[in-house]
């Protein structure tokens, strides 16, 4: 791990988790995966960040099976940092950042989507350990010969069904993130790669 890689990783996670928190606060519906986590939080308890860590453990095992390798235990560290970041941003912002008009909700959602794409593109450059969900996206891209956006969309549709049964925050924002998050990531990934190589 290089110093530059760690900086990209850390800044990327900070931006990513801020984006997730803003999309939850927008109250227009979050990404399918985050809707799943919020649904677990509302149905069972704990925090959104805690469920990020628990589901990451399950996905780590699944990714290990798909790759026929030992699970990437370093990814658990990424999940812990991400879970802590989501909770820290969410609990510090929700008290004073009121999404009380449709325009503000929409702006928070769009900003959240952009930050999720930028943060993911940046932290992946660190090549430390992707969040198990992002690793699954990369595995499906490689194994099924899909584009990055198609791989993301496929995962989003599966996770969305779980979110629906758990009464997660599904709305227009969920549809927007399911359709556009892969495209946003594809847009920022080459830019992040160039920035990292400079």
């Amino acid at each position: 791990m290089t110093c530059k890689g760690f900086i990209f990783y850390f800044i990327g996670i900070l931006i990513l988790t801020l984006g997730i928190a803003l999309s939850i606060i927008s109250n227009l519906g979050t990404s399918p995966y985050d809707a799943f986590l919020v649904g677990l939080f509302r149905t069972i308890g704990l925090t959104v960040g805690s469920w990020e860590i628990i589901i990451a453990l399950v996905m780590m095992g699944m990714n290990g099976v798909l790759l026929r390798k030992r699970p990437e235990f370093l990814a658990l560290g990424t999940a812990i940092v991400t879970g802590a970041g989501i909770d820290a941003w969410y609990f510090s912002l929700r008290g004073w950042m009121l999404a009380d008009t449709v325009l503000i909700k929409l702006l928070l959602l769009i900003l959240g989507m952009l930050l999720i794409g930028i943060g993911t593109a940046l932290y992946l450059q660190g090549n430390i350990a992707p969040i198990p969900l992002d690793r699954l996206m990369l595995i499906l891209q490689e194994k099924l010969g899909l584009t990055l956006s198609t791989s993301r969309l496929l995962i989003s549709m599966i996770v969305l069904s779980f979110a629906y049964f758990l009464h997660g925050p599904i709305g227009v924002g969920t549809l927007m993130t399911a359709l556009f998050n892969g495209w946003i990531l594809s847009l920022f990934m080459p830019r992040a790669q160039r920035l990292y190589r400079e």
Side-chain angles (χ1 to χ4, degrees), residues 17-83:
T17 53
L18 174 58
I20 292 169
L22 290 178
S23 69
I24 295 171
I25 292 168
S26 78
N27 211 25
L28 283 179
T30 62
S31 75
Y33 182 68
D34 295 324
F36 174 45
L37 298 180
V38 175
L40 287 165
F41 157 63
R42 288 177 177 173
T43 306
I44 300 171
L46 302 177
T47 64
V48 178
S50 299
W51 282 113
E52 167 77 34
I53 296 163
I54 293 165
I55 299 301
L57 276 168
V58 174
M59 284 195 166
M60 273 170 50
M62 200 166 75
N63 291 346
V65 170
L66 287 171
L67 290 171
R68 295 182 181 169
K69 291 181 180 175
R70 227 172 31 149
E72 294 177 301
F73 291 107
L74 203 54
L76 182 59
T78 300
I80 291 169
V81 172
T82 304

Side-chain angles (χ1 to χ4, degrees), residues 128-195:
I128 295 174
I131 296 167
L133 177 71
D134 292 328
R135 172 61 79 200
L136 180 59
M137 175 187 65
L138 296 171
I139 290 169
L140 291 179
Q141 180 193 19
E142 182 184 333
K143 295 225 175 249
L144 301 179
L146 304 172
T147 64
L148 201 60
S149 55
T150 305
S151 175
R152 187 86 170 198
L153 182 60
L154 176 63
I155 294 168
S156 294
M157 293 299 104
I158 294 166
V159 173
L160 185 60
S161 62
F162 291 120
Y164 176 78
F165 287 111
L166 289 166
H167 308 290
I170 298 170
V172 67
T174 310
L175 179 62
M176 286 174 65
T177 54
L179 292 174
F180 297 115
N181 265 8
W183 176 79
I184 292 169
L185 179 58
S186 297
L187 185 69
F188 287 111
M189 193 70 122
R191 289 167 172 77
Q193 287 168 342
R194 281 198 300 272
L195 185 63

